[in-house]
Amino acid sequence: MRNDQPSRVRGDDTVRADDGPTVAVLAYTTALERTMIEDWLRSDELPAEYRTPTRPESLDLDSRVLTEELVTRTDDPLILPLRVVWLPEERDGARRIRFADVLALTNPRNPNLLLQKWLVRKGADRYRIVVAKPARLSELRDALRAEGGDGDDGALARYVTRRAVVALERAERAVIGDRYKVPRLVAAQIMDSPIFRRRLDEIAAEHGLSRAEVESRARSSLDELVAVQSRLVTDLFTQAMRPLHASAWTVHADEAGLRALRESNRRYALVFLPSHRSYADAFVLGDILAANDFPGNHIMGGANLTFWPIGPVARRTGTVFIRRTFADDDVYKAALEEYFAFLLSKRFNLEWYFEGGRTRTGKLRAPRYGLLSYVANAIRGGRVEDAMLVPVSITYEGLAEVAAVAAEQTGATKKTEGLGWLVRYARNQRKRAGNVYVRFGDPVSMRELLVAGGDPDLTAPAPAADPSAAPTDSEEIRVLRRKALQKVAFEVAVGINCNTPVTVNCLVTLALLGVRDRSLTLEEVRAVIAPVRRYLDRRGVPQGGLHILDVEGGLEDVLSSLTHAGVVTTYAGGEEPVYSIQPGQHLVAAFYRNSGVHWFVNRSIMELAILYAHANLGDDPVRVAWEEAKNLRDLLKFEFFFPDRDTYETQMRDELALLVPSWGDTLPTKDEALTGLVETGFFMSHRTLRSFFDAQLVVAERLAVRDPELEVDRAAFLSECVAVGRQMLLQRRLYGPESVSSELFASALDLARNRGLLDHDEDPETVRERRKAFAAELSELAQRVALAESLDVSNRKVER
């Protein structure tokens, strides 16, 4: 039977049949498939390296059959797995299933017997017979023992079956493409793992449970966790979900970054860690990876998305739904950790949003460490050599869901995900929202980051050389592990931020949020943006679509788009149009501004430090300015990702060099530095940091009037800050509505806790005085930010 493109192993590592018999193990679903494989084995298509004087024996790929007829043999046959692969019709250079196939009640990748007969008559372009890499029975027996497996015939037969299935999957991908890489027999492999079985024994002993009960719970947990991937559903899901983002955005992907990732993926699993701004993130990223023939990621998702139809379908395309809480369920925790180790060891790529949820403010949120710890444990335990972490920046020019996210910051209840929510979401995606930019940071070795972070499991001497030096599970060791993991998360966050471009909407909202109670003309908006763009160019900051501002009418188009989206209001009834943030939309505008705000943090700190030193009468303004820069860094450490002190000092010196290029080895005086600031044509601190400092002021003042001996109920306190923040806004004590945000208040409360302002172990009067000092410090800082605003020449009215 003809087969134009058989998939088979060639090269120096090919195992040949010369030294013994060959046993072909056949994976088939119909009698026709078995006949097709048998005919192929008798034909000239059988590769010469697998031919023997006698025809190869044939056995079904079934562990019961193999137990009886293969693993008990005393000779050492070459085991050759084979399978028939059916292919969809080629359309536009691709072979993918369409909804028309489903409507015809067919699956071209898994056809029934009648359809198989019809496809055979159609010709060899609709099927392939694939040959997996063979192995000697003795090699498989030795491999099972090396993995700590049982040596009985049943265990060996199950092991041979799993190895054959995996080998056939690998051979099949050579025909259909890497994007269809799917795991097989996962739960069975994990349950047979000696390491996992020993862990279950430990749990049973620790909790006084029977081995049967623990094993049953483990199987149930794996059934709940393991993604049952389907190539049919993958094709259809991609076609169904693409319109949800294709109609809303034009996607710009970093092709160069993808090429670098492909090389890393040849050796290690990739762990994609994207910024999380929209429910569309997974669809956008998945579409890009599929178009570039990457295997589908296993996406770690929350149980809130298990509703019909998203849940059942997503699970069949690689989504792993994880319980929100499972701290007290050691069996579930062990199953999840083992599942991670399995996927990483088989080089299946993973994906999750390490912020733990969508950003509410537009900037990167603080990371969650839970899932990263499972990757770390797989490396610490020697289950995998390494995993490559991939920072992914996904940046949207416009998002329909931002309004709902902004409302949550002022007390609105989050809408529960469900079918109705999905319908509303799909309807909103019909509106054009501009561009989305997807950029990939350089993949980083998790092992190297853990070692650099001082992880005790990877830096301690090997137990064999010095048993007393092996890490123990003490509190000290756990602290060191957490610190190492924090370094990993920091590097990922920096990688995301470094690849996040500044967009046109970021710049325009930056300009409009920098003024209060007045609208700007087109020329005034342009006057704010122009020096900022020069600054971005000098620093080499990535930019998304800013070239439109150089086109005649480009800025007007951006403002018109924001007006159409309801973020900006345009008044065109006078001599010329004027623009301002739409009332009630300041948090939405801040979302777009904050997507690129991290690029201006060091510049803003430099401004405020110089102004502080300029007002200080001391003899050492450089020391005063540097100490204030470190203090401001400490104030903002729960909002932004700062490097270590030495790197931070280098970055601040680079900022200073941009202000006064001629300073060389001699630092400029405070007057020279201030002159340099003014001559750049813009100030940034009032545009970028004011809302964060204002939110901290609200929290500081609420704590200052509160009895230090009273426990702070977080939820109630944040609601109080929202209510009082609105009052302070009406009194003009806060600059703008974007400061009244539960998300910003939460970070400010974390800062207060870090500063010991919520301590109950100290003298209450001492805590009260520290709270008052904190509020006074922020009040002075607000005045300094206002001074920066008054010095900003770009913020002044453009004379006609």
PDB file of all heavy atoms in Angstrom, residues 656-671:
ATOM      1  N   LEU A 656      20.806  61.149  35.536  1.00  0.00           N
ATOM      2  CA  LEU A 656      21.463  62.432  35.752  1.00  0.00           C
ATOM      3  C   LEU A 656      22.293  62.827  34.534  1.00  0.00           C
ATOM      4  O   LEU A 656      22.344  64.003  34.146  1.00  0.00           O
ATOM      5  CB  LEU A 656      22.342  62.363  36.999  1.00  0.00           C
ATOM      6  CG  LEU A 656      22.934  63.682  37.508  1.00  0.00           C
ATOM      7  CD1 LEU A 656      21.834  64.683  37.823  1.00  0.00           C
ATOM      8  CD2 LEU A 656      23.797  63.433  38.745  1.00  0.00           C
ATOM      9  N   ALA A 657      22.918  61.832  33.907  1.00  0.00           N
ATOM     10  CA  ALA A 657      23.724  62.111  32.706  1.00  0.00           C
ATOM     11  C   ALA A 657      22.850  62.606  31.558  1.00  0.00           C
ATOM     12  O   ALA A 657      23.309  63.381  30.716  1.00  0.00           O
ATOM     13  CB  ALA A 657      24.490  60.863  32.292  1.00  0.00           C
ATOM     14  N   LEU A 658      21.593  62.162  31.499  1.00  0.00           N
ATOM     15  CA  LEU A 658      20.682  62.669  30.471  1.00  0.00           C
ATOM     16  C   LEU A 658      20.350  64.138  30.702  1.00  0.00           C
ATOM     17  O   LEU A 658      20.116  64.894  29.761  1.00  0.00           O
ATOM     18  CB  LEU A 658      19.388  61.848  30.452  1.00  0.00           C
ATOM     19  CG  LEU A 658      19.479  60.416  29.915  1.00  0.00           C
ATOM     20  CD1 LEU A 658      18.139  59.709  30.076  1.00  0.00           C
ATOM     21  CD2 LEU A 658      19.888  60.418  28.450  1.00  0.00           C
ATOM     22  N   LEU A 659      20.339  64.549  31.994  1.00  0.00           N
ATOM     23  CA  LEU A 659      20.030  65.946  32.314  1.00  0.00           C
ATOM     24  C   LEU A 659      21.215  66.854  32.059  1.00  0.00           C
ATOM     25  O   LEU A 659      21.081  67.937  31.492  1.00  0.00           O
ATOM     26  CB  LEU A 659      19.624  66.070  33.793  1.00  0.00           C
ATOM     27  CG  LEU A 659      18.373  65.332  34.249  1.00  0.00           C
ATOM     28  CD1 LEU A 659      18.153  65.567  35.735  1.00  0.00           C
ATOM     29  CD2 LEU A 659      17.169  65.798  33.457  1.00  0.00           C
ATOM     30  N   VAL A 660      22.396  66.402  32.526  1.00  0.00           N
ATOM     31  CA  VAL A 660      23.610  67.222  32.413  1.00  0.00           C
ATOM     32  C   VAL A 660      24.685  66.366  31.753  1.00  0.00           C
ATOM     33  O   VAL A 660      25.536  65.781  32.427  1.00  0.00           O
ATOM     34  CB  VAL A 660      24.073  67.719  33.798  1.00  0.00           C
ATOM     35  CG1 VAL A 660      25.190  68.758  33.644  1.00  0.00           C
ATOM     36  CG2 VAL A 660      22.913  68.303  34.594  1.00  0.00           C
ATOM     37  N   PRO A 661      24.675  66.288  30.423  1.00  0.00           N
ATOM     38  CA  PRO A 661      25.610  65.387  29.728  1.00  0.00           C
ATOM     39  C   PRO A 661      27.075  65.703  29.988  1.00  0.00           C
ATOM     40  O   PRO A 661      27.936  64.830  29.844  1.00  0.00           O
ATOM     41  CB  PRO A 661      25.258  65.614  28.241  1.00  0.00           C
ATOM     42  CG  PRO A 661      23.853  66.132  28.260  1.00  0.00           C
ATOM     43  CD  PRO A 661      23.741  66.947  29.492  1.00  0.00           C
ATOM     44  N   SER A 662      27.381  66.921  30.396  1.00  0.00           N
ATOM     45  CA  SER A 662      28.781  67.330  30.537  1.00  0.00           C
ATOM     46  C   SER A 662      29.341  67.091  31.932  1.00  0.00           C
ATOM     47  O   SER A 662      30.479  67.467  32.216  1.00  0.00           O
ATOM     48  CB  SER A 662      28.909  68.830  30.203  1.00  0.00           C
ATOM     49  OG  SER A 662      28.118  69.598  31.107  1.00  0.00           O
ATOM     50  N   TRP A 663      28.570  66.447  32.819  1.00  0.00           N
ATOM     51  CA  TRP A 663      29.032  66.388  34.208  1.00  0.00           C
ATOM     52  C   TRP A 663      30.249  65.494  34.382  1.00  0.00           C
ATOM     53  O   TRP A 663      31.067  65.721  35.259  1.00  0.00           O
ATOM     54  CB  TRP A 663      27.904  65.981  35.144  1.00  0.00           C
ATOM     55  CG  TRP A 663      27.420  64.553  35.052  1.00  0.00           C
ATOM     56  CD1 TRP A 663      26.498  64.074  34.199  1.00  0.00           C
ATOM     57  CD2 TRP A 663      27.816  63.455  35.865  1.00  0.00           C
ATOM     58  NE1 TRP A 663      26.276  62.738  34.411  1.00  0.00           N
ATOM     59  CE2 TRP A 663      27.061  62.320  35.436  1.00  0.00           C
ATOM     60  CE3 TRP A 663      28.713  63.286  36.923  1.00  0.00           C
ATOM     61  CZ2 TRP A 663      27.200  61.059  36.024  1.00  0.00           C
ATOM     62  CZ3 TRP A 663      28.847  62.032  37.505  1.00  0.00           C
ATOM     63  CH2 TRP A 663      28.094  60.936  37.048  1.00  0.00           C
ATOM     64  N   GLY A 664      30.447  64.488  33.533  1.00  0.00           N
ATOM     65  CA  GLY A 664      31.664  63.676  33.575  1.00  0.00           C
ATOM     66  C   GLY A 664      31.882  63.043  34.933  1.00  0.00           C
ATOM     67  O   GLY A 664      30.995  62.437  35.507  1.00  0.00           O
ATOM     68  N   ASP A 665      33.105  63.209  35.477  1.00  0.00           N
ATOM     69  CA  ASP A 665      33.441  62.608  36.769  1.00  0.00           C
ATOM     70  C   ASP A 665      33.035  63.487  37.946  1.00  0.00           C
ATOM     71  O   ASP A 665      33.136  63.070  39.095  1.00  0.00           O
ATOM     72  CB  ASP A 665      34.948  62.338  36.845  1.00  0.00           C
ATOM     73  CG  ASP A 665      35.387  61.293  35.820  1.00  0.00           C
ATOM     74  OD1 ASP A 665      34.572  60.405  35.527  1.00  0.00           O
ATOM     75  OD2 ASP A 665      36.524  61.388  35.332  1.00  0.00           O
ATOM     76  N   THR A 666      32.629  64.697  37.675  1.00  0.00           N
ATOM     77  CA  THR A 666      32.240  65.626  38.732  1.00  0.00           C
ATOM     78  C   THR A 666      30.734  65.814  38.702  1.00  0.00           C
ATOM     79  O   THR A 666      30.179  66.241  37.686  1.00  0.00           O
ATOM     80  CB  THR A 666      32.931  67.000  38.552  1.00  0.00           C
ATOM     81  OG1 THR A 666      34.337  66.794  38.496  1.00  0.00           O
ATOM     82  CG2 THR A 666      32.576  67.922  39.702  1.00  0.00           C
ATOM     83  N   LEU A 667      30.090  65.488  39.793  1.00  0.00           N
ATOM     84  CA  LEU A 667      28.645  65.624  39.838  1.00  0.00           C
ATOM     85  C   LEU A 667      28.241  67.088  39.700  1.00  0.00           C
ATOM     86  O   LEU A 667      28.915  67.980  40.226  1.00  0.00           O
ATOM     87  CB  LEU A 667      28.102  65.064  41.155  1.00  0.00           C
ATOM     88  CG  LEU A 667      28.150  63.551  41.313  1.00  0.00           C
ATOM     89  CD1 LEU A 667      27.792  63.154  42.748  1.00  0.00           C
ATOM     90  CD2 LEU A 667      27.186  62.891  40.341  1.00  0.00           C
ATOM     91  N   PRO A 668      27.159  67.370  39.004  1.00  0.00           N
ATOM     92  CA  PRO A 668      26.716  68.756  38.847  1.00  0.00           C
ATOM     93  C   PRO A 668      26.226  69.311  40.180  1.00  0.00           C
ATOM     94  O   PRO A 668      25.811  68.572  41.070  1.00  0.00           O
ATOM     95  CB  PRO A 668      25.565  68.645  37.843  1.00  0.00           C
ATOM     96  CG  PRO A 668      25.065  67.253  37.995  1.00  0.00           C
ATOM     97  CD  PRO A 668      26.271  66.425  38.315  1.00  0.00           C
ATOM     98  N   THR A 669      26.276  70.621  40.305  1.00  0.00           N
ATOM     99  CA  THR A 669      25.720  71.252  41.491  1.00  0.00           C
ATOM    100  C   THR A 669      24.206  71.150  41.444  1.00  0.00           C
ATOM    101  O   THR A 669      23.615  70.817  40.407  1.00  0.00           O
ATOM    102  CB  THR A 669      26.123  72.735  41.548  1.00  0.00           C
ATOM    103  OG1 THR A 669      25.504  73.417  40.442  1.00  0.00           O
ATOM    104  CG2 THR A 669      27.638  72.900  41.464  1.00  0.00           C
ATOM    105  N   LYS A 670      23.559  71.474  42.579  1.00  0.00           N
ATOM    106  CA  LYS A 670      22.103  71.388  42.607  1.00  0.00           C
ATOM    107  C   LYS A 670      21.480  72.402  41.651  1.00  0.00           C
ATOM    108  O   LYS A 670      20.429  72.132  41.069  1.00  0.00           O
ATOM    109  CB  LYS A 670      21.576  71.580  44.023  1.00  0.00           C
ATOM    110  CG  LYS A 670      21.933  72.912  44.678  1.00  0.00           C
ATOM    111  CD  LYS A 670      21.439  72.945  46.118  1.00  0.00           C
ATOM    112  CE  LYS A 670      21.772  74.269  46.778  1.00  0.00           C
ATOM    113  NZ  LYS A 670      21.309  74.295  48.198  1.00  0.00           N
ATOM    114  N   ASP A 671      22.130  73.538  41.445  1.00  0.00           N
ATOM    115  CA  ASP A 671      21.598  74.516  40.484  1.00  0.00           C
ATOM    116  C   ASP A 671      21.744  74.012  39.053  1.00  0.00           C
ATOM    117  O   ASP A 671      20.836  74.171  38.224  1.00  0.00           O
ATOM    118  CB  ASP A 671      22.328  75.861  40.633  1.00  0.00           C
ATOM    119  CG  ASP A 671      21.960  76.569  41.928  1.00  0.00           C
ATOM    120  OD1 ASP A 671      20.819  76.360  42.394  1.00  0.00           O
ATOM    121  OD2 ASP A 671      22.799  77.311  42.465  1.00  0.00           O
TER     122      ASP A 671
END
